Amino acid sequence: MESKKRCGIFGGSFNPIHNGHIAIGSDLLQTGFVDEIWFVVSPQNPFKQQCDLWDDELRFDLTTKALADHQRMKACDVEMHLPKPSYMWVTLEELSARHTEYQFVLLIGADNWQRFGRWYRSEDILSNYEIGIYPRPGYDIDGNTLPENVHYLTTGLYDISSTEIRERLKKSQSVKGLVPPSIEKLLEKLNNIIMND
């Protein structure tokens, strides 16, 4: 029997996606832990304020364009068609039911792992899915204390934030080097629409 492809689920607001997200994805693929990564664009994260959140379709479109040149990374809009707020347990179960040819693996930052116990049905996620944790500045994880199906993966640390990009756009400053060239000009063109919406 052919083994299933391992697909990493990298959830986020991607408000907007930036070079740090893509670099982490590339690093995670290089570890060999997963075969491909789906960037799941979340319409509503239960732990985040929603006031600065751009339109769902815009964030998904930007994520799709930003990943167009990366064969093993793609945008996924599954959570836009599920009840809100978005719970990762529901997302993983939906994807597993829809795409039986894949083995889904959850990819989260060390910051999210530290509060993972507060996630909806976190025990069910742990019981049914592997988890890969990537480093985040200021969050130390002892790999020796992790459950058997949770793995601490080595990736770079990237000091870029979506908040910084939104702030730069508000001030009409360049975002060159912070986002892929494929969406840089688009973001600068959209700036007036986004900021005055």
Side-chain angles (χ1 to χ4, degrees), residues 162-191:
S162 297
T163 304
E164 173 193 0
I165 291 164
R166 293 196 306 274
E167 288 303 315
R168 291 186 71 84
L169 289 170
K170 279 179 188 174
K171 296 171 186 172
S172 298
Q173 295 175 343
S174 171
V175 292
K176 188 177 178 66
L178 300 176
V179 298
S182 55
I183 65 168
E184 180 192 329
K185 296 295 180 212
L186 182 58
L187 277 173
E188 290 171 356
K189 275 185 197 169
L190 284 169
N191 180 37

mmCIF file of all heavy atoms in Angstrom, residues 162-191:
data_model
loop_
_atom_site.group_PDB
_atom_site.id
_atom_site.type_symbol
_atom_site.label_atom_id
_atom_site.label_comp_id
_atom_site.label_asym_id
_atom_site.label_seq_id
_atom_site.Cartn_x
_atom_site.Cartn_y
_atom_site.Cartn_z
ATOM 1 N N SER A 162 3.426 40.897 10.399
ATOM 2 C CA SER A 162 2.366 41.470 9.567
ATOM 3 C C SER A 162 1.981 42.855 10.087
ATOM 4 O O SER A 162 1.652 43.751 9.295
ATOM 5 C CB SER A 162 1.144 40.547 9.569
ATOM 6 O OG SER A 162 1.464 39.302 8.993
ATOM 7 N N THR A 163 2.032 43.020 11.416
ATOM 8 C CA THR A 163 1.707 44.325 12.015
ATOM 9 C C THR A 163 2.650 45.397 11.489
ATOM 10 O O THR A 163 2.221 46.501 11.111
ATOM 11 C CB THR A 163 1.801 44.250 13.551
ATOM 12 O OG1 THR A 163 0.941 43.204 14.010
ATOM 13 C CG2 THR A 163 1.417 45.561 14.202
ATOM 14 N N GLU A 164 3.940 45.070 11.445
ATOM 15 C CA GLU A 164 4.946 46.016 10.939
ATOM 16 C C GLU A 164 4.633 46.406 9.487
ATOM 17 O O GLU A 164 4.725 47.577 9.107
ATOM 18 C CB GLU A 164 6.337 45.377 11.033
ATOM 19 C CG GLU A 164 7.452 46.188 10.394
ATOM 20 C CD GLU A 164 8.752 45.403 10.225
ATOM 21 O OE1 GLU A 164 8.801 44.210 10.599
ATOM 22 O OE2 GLU A 164 9.704 46.006 9.702
ATOM 23 N N ILE A 165 4.249 45.416 8.684
ATOM 24 C CA ILE A 165 3.940 45.682 7.274
ATOM 25 C C ILE A 165 2.716 46.590 7.165
ATOM 26 O O ILE A 165 2.714 47.556 6.399
ATOM 27 C CB ILE A 165 3.725 44.353 6.513
ATOM 28 C CG1 ILE A 165 5.064 43.606 6.410
ATOM 29 C CG2 ILE A 165 3.125 44.604 5.128
ATOM 30 C CD1 ILE A 165 4.936 42.157 6.036
ATOM 31 N N ARG A 166 1.674 46.318 7.944
ATOM 32 C CA ARG A 166 0.477 47.166 7.905
ATOM 33 C C ARG A 166 0.811 48.596 8.334
ATOM 34 O O ARG A 166 0.311 49.557 7.750
ATOM 35 C CB ARG A 166 -0.628 46.581 8.800
ATOM 36 C CG ARG A 166 -1.198 45.266 8.307
ATOM 37 C CD ARG A 166 -2.513 44.915 8.977
ATOM 38 N NE ARG A 166 -2.447 44.921 10.427
ATOM 39 C CZ ARG A 166 -2.057 43.885 11.176
ATOM 40 N NH1 ARG A 166 -1.692 42.750 10.597
ATOM 41 N NH2 ARG A 166 -2.043 43.965 12.494
ATOM 42 N N GLU A 167 1.663 48.721 9.352
ATOM 43 C CA GLU A 167 2.055 50.061 9.820
ATOM 44 C C GLU A 167 2.835 50.816 8.748
ATOM 45 O O GLU A 167 2.638 52.009 8.536
ATOM 46 C CB GLU A 167 2.890 49.956 11.104
ATOM 47 C CG GLU A 167 2.098 49.559 12.338
ATOM 48 C CD GLU A 167 0.948 50.507 12.638
ATOM 49 O OE1 GLU A 167 1.158 51.742 12.576
ATOM 50 O OE2 GLU A 167 -0.168 50.023 12.896
ATOM 51 N N ARG A 168 3.722 50.105 8.068
ATOM 52 C CA ARG A 168 4.504 50.737 6.996
ATOM 53 C C ARG A 168 3.577 51.186 5.857
ATOM 54 O O ARG A 168 3.742 52.274 5.300
ATOM 55 C CB ARG A 168 5.578 49.785 6.469
ATOM 56 C CG ARG A 168 6.694 49.511 7.476
ATOM 57 C CD ARG A 168 7.809 48.667 6.861
ATOM 58 N NE ARG A 168 8.571 49.431 5.882
ATOM 59 C CZ ARG A 168 9.575 50.248 6.179
ATOM 60 N NH1 ARG A 168 9.947 50.416 7.439
ATOM 61 N NH2 ARG A 168 10.219 50.891 5.225
ATOM 62 N N LEU A 169 2.610 50.361 5.521
ATOM 63 C CA LEU A 169 1.672 50.717 4.464
ATOM 64 C C LEU A 169 0.845 51.946 4.854
ATOM 65 O O LEU A 169 0.589 52.821 4.023
ATOM 66 C CB LEU A 169 0.752 49.530 4.151
ATOM 67 C CG LEU A 169 1.415 48.351 3.420
ATOM 68 C CD1 LEU A 169 0.480 47.158 3.391
ATOM 69 C CD2 LEU A 169 1.825 48.730 2.001
ATOM 70 N N LYS A 170 0.432 52.002 6.124
ATOM 71 C CA LYS A 170 -0.335 53.158 6.593
ATOM 72 C C LYS A 170 0.452 54.453 6.418
ATOM 73 O O LYS A 170 -0.118 55.510 6.164
ATOM 74 C CB LYS A 170 -0.677 52.994 8.086
ATOM 75 C CG LYS A 170 -1.878 52.110 8.360
ATOM 76 C CD LYS A 170 -2.115 52.007 9.862
ATOM 77 C CE LYS A 170 -3.180 50.966 10.167
ATOM 78 N NZ LYS A 170 -3.329 50.741 11.617
ATOM 79 N N LYS A 171 1.764 54.352 6.567
ATOM 80 C CA LYS A 171 2.634 55.540 6.447
ATOM 81 C C LYS A 171 3.163 55.711 5.026
ATOM 82 O O LYS A 171 4.058 56.518 4.790
ATOM 83 C CB LYS A 171 3.811 55.407 7.415
ATOM 84 C CG LYS A 171 3.404 55.389 8.880
ATOM 85 C CD LYS A 171 4.595 55.035 9.765
ATOM 86 C CE LYS A 171 4.151 54.862 11.209
ATOM 87 N NZ LYS A 171 5.240 54.348 12.054
ATOM 88 N N SER A 172 2.630 54.901 4.092
ATOM 89 C CA SER A 172 3.079 54.924 2.690
ATOM 90 C C SER A 172 4.572 54.650 2.550
ATOM 91 O O SER A 172 5.246 55.203 1.682
ATOM 92 C CB SER A 172 2.725 56.266 2.028
ATOM 93 O OG SER A 172 1.332 56.438 2.011
ATOM 94 N N GLN A 173 5.086 53.782 3.427
ATOM 95 C CA GLN A 173 6.491 53.387 3.365
ATOM 96 C C GLN A 173 6.621 52.091 2.569
ATOM 97 O O GLN A 173 5.680 51.299 2.496
ATOM 98 C CB GLN A 173 7.054 53.192 4.782
ATOM 99 C CG GLN A 173 7.102 54.477 5.594
ATOM 100 C CD GLN A 173 7.538 54.224 7.028
ATOM 101 O OE1 GLN A 173 7.512 53.108 7.532
ATOM 102 N NE2 GLN A 173 7.926 55.300 7.711
ATOM 103 N N SER A 174 7.799 51.881 2.018
ATOM 104 C CA SER A 174 8.048 50.679 1.213
ATOM 105 C C SER A 174 8.014 49.413 2.075
ATOM 106 O O SER A 174 8.416 49.435 3.237
ATOM 107 C CB SER A 174 9.417 50.797 0.542
ATOM 108 O OG SER A 174 9.763 49.566 -0.070
ATOM 109 N N VAL A 175 7.516 48.318 1.487
ATOM 110 C CA VAL A 175 7.566 47.007 2.155
ATOM 111 C C VAL A 175 8.512 46.076 1.393
ATOM 112 O O VAL A 175 8.467 44.857 1.564
ATOM 113 C CB VAL A 175 6.156 46.381 2.289
ATOM 114 C CG1 VAL A 175 5.316 47.183 3.268
ATOM 115 C CG2 VAL A 175 5.445 46.262 0.939
ATOM 116 N N LYS A 176 9.372 46.660 0.583
ATOM 117 C CA LYS A 176 10.348 45.879 -0.194
ATOM 118 C C LYS A 176 11.219 45.057 0.749
ATOM 119 O O LYS A 176 11.697 45.552 1.765
ATOM 120 C CB LYS A 176 11.236 46.828 -1.004
ATOM 121 C CG LYS A 176 12.166 46.126 -1.986
ATOM 122 C CD LYS A 176 12.950 47.162 -2.796
ATOM 123 C CE LYS A 176 13.923 46.501 -3.756
ATOM 124 N NZ LYS A 176 13.254 45.738 -4.807
ATOM 125 N N GLY A 177 11.401 43.778 0.431
ATOM 126 C CA GLY A 177 12.215 42.892 1.256
ATOM 127 C C GLY A 177 11.444 42.223 2.382
ATOM 128 O O GLY A 177 11.923 41.256 2.975
ATOM 129 N N LEU A 178 10.228 42.720 2.666
ATOM 130 C CA LEU A 178 9.415 42.136 3.742
ATOM 131 C C LEU A 178 8.381 41.153 3.207
ATOM 132 O O LEU A 178 7.958 40.240 3.906
ATOM 133 C CB LEU A 178 8.694 43.236 4.532
ATOM 134 C CG LEU A 178 9.583 44.277 5.220
ATOM 135 C CD1 LEU A 178 8.730 45.366 5.872
ATOM 136 C CD2 LEU A 178 10.473 43.618 6.267
ATOM 137 N N VAL A 179 7.982 41.373 1.957
ATOM 138 C CA VAL A 179 6.998 40.501 1.305
ATOM 139 C C VAL A 179 7.558 40.067 -0.051
ATOM 140 O O VAL A 179 8.463 40.718 -0.581
ATOM 141 C CB VAL A 179 5.642 41.225 1.106
ATOM 142 C CG1 VAL A 179 5.040 41.622 2.442
ATOM 143 C CG2 VAL A 179 5.779 42.430 0.191
ATOM 144 N N PRO A 180 7.041 38.984 -0.625
ATOM 145 C CA PRO A 180 7.530 38.559 -1.942
ATOM 146 C C PRO A 180 7.282 39.643 -2.998
ATOM 147 O O PRO A 180 6.277 40.364 -2.925
ATOM 148 C CB PRO A 180 6.704 37.306 -2.245
ATOM 149 C CG PRO A 180 6.200 36.835 -0.929
ATOM 150 C CD PRO A 180 6.022 38.059 -0.095
ATOM 151 N N PRO A 181 8.179 39.758 -3.983
ATOM 152 C CA PRO A 181 7.983 40.740 -5.064
ATOM 153 C C PRO A 181 6.629 40.593 -5.754
ATOM 154 O O PRO A 181 6.056 41.576 -6.221
ATOM 155 C CB PRO A 181 9.131 40.433 -6.033
ATOM 156 C CG PRO A 181 10.184 39.781 -5.194
ATOM 157 C CD PRO A 181 9.440 39.014 -4.135
ATOM 158 N N SER A 182 6.098 39.365 -5.790
ATOM 159 C CA SER A 182 4.823 39.111 -6.478
ATOM 160 C C SER A 182 3.651 39.851 -5.851
ATOM 161 O O SER A 182 2.620 40.057 -6.513
ATOM 162 C CB SER A 182 4.528 37.604 -6.504
ATOM 163 O OG SER A 182 4.554 37.078 -5.191
ATOM 164 N N ILE A 183 3.761 40.247 -4.576
ATOM 165 C CA ILE A 183 2.644 40.982 -3.960
ATOM 166 C C ILE A 183 3.059 42.380 -3.471
ATOM 167 O O ILE A 183 2.208 43.140 -3.019
ATOM 168 C CB ILE A 183 1.995 40.196 -2.799
ATOM 169 C CG1 ILE A 183 2.962 39.993 -1.628
ATOM 170 C CG2 ILE A 183 1.425 38.879 -3.285
ATOM 171 C CD1 ILE A 183 2.288 39.479 -0.360
ATOM 172 N N GLU A 184 4.329 42.712 -3.604
ATOM 173 C CA GLU A 184 4.812 44.002 -3.093
ATOM 174 C C GLU A 184 4.072 45.177 -3.731
ATOM 175 O O GLU A 184 3.505 46.029 -3.035
ATOM 176 C CB GLU A 184 6.319 44.116 -3.349
ATOM 177 C CG GLU A 184 6.929 45.415 -2.859
ATOM 178 C CD GLU A 184 8.344 45.593 -3.395
ATOM 179 O OE1 GLU A 184 9.054 44.585 -3.615
ATOM 180 O OE2 GLU A 184 8.730 46.756 -3.605
ATOM 181 N N LYS A 185 4.060 45.230 -5.055
ATOM 182 C CA LYS A 185 3.418 46.342 -5.762
ATOM 183 C C LYS A 185 1.906 46.320 -5.536
ATOM 184 O O LYS A 185 1.267 47.365 -5.403
ATOM 185 C CB LYS A 185 3.716 46.288 -7.265
ATOM 186 C CG LYS A 185 5.180 46.453 -7.606
ATOM 187 C CD LYS A 185 5.675 47.836 -7.215
ATOM 188 C CE LYS A 185 7.149 48.011 -7.568
ATOM 189 N NZ LYS A 185 7.841 48.902 -6.635
ATOM 190 N N LEU A 186 1.348 45.120 -5.499
ATOM 191 C CA LEU A 186 -0.086 44.977 -5.275
ATOM 192 C C LEU A 186 -0.480 45.552 -3.917
ATOM 193 O O LEU A 186 -1.476 46.283 -3.799
ATOM 194 C CB LEU A 186 -0.473 43.498 -5.368
ATOM 195 C CG LEU A 186 -1.950 43.144 -5.214
ATOM 196 C CD1 LEU A 186 -2.794 43.867 -6.264
ATOM 197 C CD2 LEU A 186 -2.142 41.637 -5.331
ATOM 198 N N LEU A 187 0.305 45.256 -2.899
ATOM 199 C CA LEU A 187 0.030 45.785 -1.566
ATOM 200 C C LEU A 187 0.094 47.306 -1.557
ATOM 201 O O LEU A 187 -0.750 47.971 -0.951
ATOM 202 C CB LEU A 187 1.035 45.232 -0.550
ATOM 203 C CG LEU A 187 0.752 43.851 0.032
ATOM 204 C CD1 LEU A 187 1.921 43.387 0.884
ATOM 205 C CD2 LEU A 187 -0.522 43.862 0.855
ATOM 206 N N GLU A 188 1.102 47.845 -2.230
ATOM 207 C CA GLU A 188 1.245 49.299 -2.238
ATOM 208 C C GLU A 188 0.091 49.957 -3.007
ATOM 209 O O GLU A 188 -0.403 51.006 -2.622
ATOM 210 C CB GLU A 188 2.617 49.688 -2.792
ATOM 211 C CG GLU A 188 3.725 49.310 -1.802
ATOM 212 C CD GLU A 188 5.147 49.452 -2.338
ATOM 213 O OE1 GLU A 188 5.311 49.777 -3.530
ATOM 214 O OE2 GLU A 188 6.078 49.221 -1.556
ATOM 215 N N LYS A 189 -0.384 49.287 -4.065
ATOM 216 C CA LYS A 189 -1.540 49.807 -4.824
ATOM 217 C C LYS A 189 -2.822 49.712 -3.998
ATOM 218 O O LYS A 189 -3.665 50.601 -4.022
ATOM 219 C CB LYS A 189 -1.740 48.986 -6.107
ATOM 220 C CG LYS A 189 -0.904 49.445 -7.279
ATOM 221 C CD LYS A 189 -1.300 48.621 -8.495
ATOM 222 C CE LYS A 189 -0.232 48.719 -9.573
ATOM 223 N NZ LYS A 189 -0.443 47.758 -10.655
ATOM 224 N N LEU A 190 -2.969 48.606 -3.296
ATOM 225 C CA LEU A 190 -4.174 48.373 -2.502
ATOM 226 C C LEU A 190 -4.203 49.205 -1.231
ATOM 227 O O LEU A 190 -5.242 49.309 -0.586
ATOM 228 C CB LEU A 190 -4.250 46.887 -2.110
ATOM 229 C CG LEU A 190 -4.676 45.902 -3.184
ATOM 230 C CD1 LEU A 190 -4.439 44.480 -2.703
ATOM 231 C CD2 LEU A 190 -6.130 46.094 -3.551
ATOM 232 N N ASN A 191 -3.081 49.790 -0.888
ATOM 233 C CA ASN A 191 -2.940 50.464 0.395
ATOM 234 C C ASN A 191 -4.093 51.408 0.723
ATOM 235 O O ASN A 191 -4.705 51.318 1.779
ATOM 236 C CB ASN A 191 -1.620 51.241 0.431
ATOM 237 C CG ASN A 191 -1.420 51.947 1.741
ATOM 238 O OD1 ASN A 191 -1.778 51.422 2.788
ATOM 239 N ND2 ASN A 191 -0.870 53.133 1.706
#
